[in-house]
Amino acid sequence: LPHIHGGDVSLVERQVSLLRDRNQDLRKQLEALVSAATTNSDIFLKCQRLVLALLEAKDSAEFYLALEKSLKRDFKCNAYSLMVFNDDAEQINHFTYSVSEATAREYVGSLIKSKKPTLGVLRPAEQDFLFRHASDKVKSAAVLSVKDPATSGSARGQIALLAIGSDD
C-alpha cells in the first residue's frame, strides 16, 4: 500500500523501492556468477578428460587421436593442427603432420619465436601453412609453441606448434 501524503511519497516507501532495486541487481549479479561458474566447471571437466586421455595413450598415434577427438568433440573446434618439428616431413593424421624446423621457420617463424601464445588474426601465409585445407574456415586463431622441458634453456626448445582456429 502506498504511503502517499498530499502527493508526496513517504521515506519508507522510497527506501523499500531502493532496496527492491538493489535486490534485483544483486540477483542478476549472482545469476551471472553462477553462469560463469557453470561454464568454468564444464571447461575444467573437458580439460580433465583431455589430460587423462593423453596420459592413457600408449603410443603417439593414440596420443594424437585423443587430442583430435577432444578438440573436435569436447571443445567443438572447427580447425586445428599440430605441427611437430622433425627432419622427416610426413602427414601423421589429417590434423597432425611433421615438418623440418627450418621449413616451419620460413612460414611461421614469428610464431615459433614467440614466448607466449599468439591470439588473433594470422597472416594469410601463416594461416595456410598451419591449417592447410581448413584455412578458409579460420577467422582468428590461438597458436601455442610446445616446448620440451628438458631442452627449454637451449635454442631447440620448441618441438611443435599447436594451432586452434575459430570461425569468428
Side-chain angles (χ1 to χ4, degrees), residues 45 66 93 133 135:
L45 291 174
N93 63 26
H133 64 280
S135 179

Side-chain angles (χ1 to χ4, degrees), residues 1 14 28 30 35 45 49-50 60 68 77 102 104 112 117 121 125 131 141 144 157 161 166:
L1 296 173
R14 176 74 177 132
K28 286 179 184 176
L30 182 60
S35 176
L45 291 174
R49 267 196 310 269
L50 170 60
S60 61
E68 179 181 12
C77 296
I112 293 171
V121 178
F131 296 109
L144 173 70
L161 277 180
S166 174

Side-chain angles (χ1 to χ4, degrees), residues 65-77:
L65 183 61
L67 181 59
E68 179 181 12
K69 279 184 177 179
S70 179
L71 289 173
K72 193 177 202 177
R73 180 190 62 220
D74 291 335
F75 294 99
K76 310 285 190 250
C77 296

Side-chain angles (χ1 to χ4, degrees), residues 2 10 15 28 37 51 68 70 72 97 113 117 123 125 142 146 157:
S10 75
Q15 287 176 333
K28 286 179 184 176
V51 169
E68 179 181 12
S70 179
K72 193 177 202 177
Y97 56 98
K113 290 177 190 174
R123 288 182 223 132
V146 181

Side-chain angles (χ1 to χ4, degrees), residues 83 97 99 103-104 107-108 124-132:
M83 180 176 47
Y97 56 98
V99 297
T103 300
Y107 295 94
V108 290
E126 293 172 334
Q127 187 165 308
D128 291 343
F129 187 73
L130 289 171
F131 296 109
R132 299 181 178 200

